Amino acid sequence: MARVVVNVMPKAEILDPQGQAVQRALGRIGVDGVADVRQGKRFELEVDDSVTDADVERMAEILLANTVIEDYVIVREEAK
Amino acid sequence: MARVVVNVMPKAEILDPQGQAVQRALGRIGVDGVADVRQGKRFELEVDDSVTDADVERMAEILLANTVIEDYVIVREEAK
């Protein structure tokens, strides 16, 4: 088995209201110096050797990311 | 400025309905071999040098993760 991580983030030009809400809240806990906050999704998949990079790409395109407003990055981690 | 990533995932023992929904959907797009899917949040913070690891820890504990049901990992990336 291997672990594949798919990170899905809003495209840079897309407004990120969740990230902005977090950034506004930072002031309330007295943390300065944070110029930007962006919030996205992280998927951790446990896959066997039959699952190819093309399979993961297809999963990301169809299920995990809305490619109109989101970008995704696939990271294949160590095989256990 | 540096980028700090905070990955927030459901604790292992916590039911992950979102991850299970994705896993069920995989069958519909003809992908087998995925033993488990877990869905969490990814935060990308652009911070200046005044923001310490302790500050980021505090942010994660108070704002970014619900530490009763979620774990978080902080990854400090290259300074730009």
Side-chain angles (χ1 to χ4, degrees):
Chain A
M1 299 296 279
R3 168 174 291 175
V4 178
V5 174
V6 181
N7 291 313
V8 178
M9 295 300 290
K11 286 183 187 289
E13 67 276 16
I14 297 289
L15 193 67
D16 178 8
Q18 289 177 306
Q20 288 178 349
V22 170
Q23 191 163 4
R24 279 194 304 271
L26 290 178
R28 290 203 303 275
I29 62 167
V31 175
D32 296 320
V34 178
D36 190 35
V37 177
R38 294 175 64 234
Q39 178 173 343
K41 295 173 282 191
R42 173 185 168 96
F43 295 92
E44 291 180 0
L45 313 171
E46 302 298 329
V47 301
D48 67 28
D49 302 337
S50 71
V51 177
T52 64
D53 288 347
D55 288 331
V56 180
E57 193 100 12
R58 210 148 61 83
M59 276 190 249
E61 293 273 332
I62 299 172
L63 283 177
L64 307 181
N66 172 349
T67 51
V68 172
I69 58 169
E70 293 171 327
D71 291 322
Y72 62 86
V73 173
I74 296 170
V75 180
R76 194 174 269 263
E77 295 186 352
E78 83 300 340
K80 280 185 208 149
Chain B
M1 296 297 279
R3 168 173 292 177
V4 178
V5 174
V6 180
N7 291 313
V8 178
M9 293 300 289
K11 287 184 187 286
E13 66 276 15
I14 297 290
L15 193 67
D16 178 8
Q18 289 177 306
Q20 288 176 350
V22 171
Q23 192 163 3
R24 280 193 302 273
L26 289 177
R28 290 203 301 276
I29 63 167
V31 175
D32 296 318
V34 177
D36 189 34
V37 177
R38 294 174 66 235
Q39 177 173 343
K41 294 172 283 190
R42 172 185 168 96
F43 294 92
E44 292 180 359
L45 313 172
E46 303 296 330
V47 302
D48 67 27
D49 301 338
S50 71
V51 177
T52 64
D53 289 347
D55 287 330
V56 180
E57 194 100 11
R58 209 149 60 83
M59 277 190 248
E61 293 272 333
I62 298 172
L63 283 178
L64 307 182
N66 172 349
T67 52
V68 173
I69 59 169
E70 293 171 326
D71 291 322
Y72 63 84
V73 172
I74 295 171
V75 180
R76 193 173 271 263
E77 295 186 351
E78 82 301 341
K80 280 186 206 149

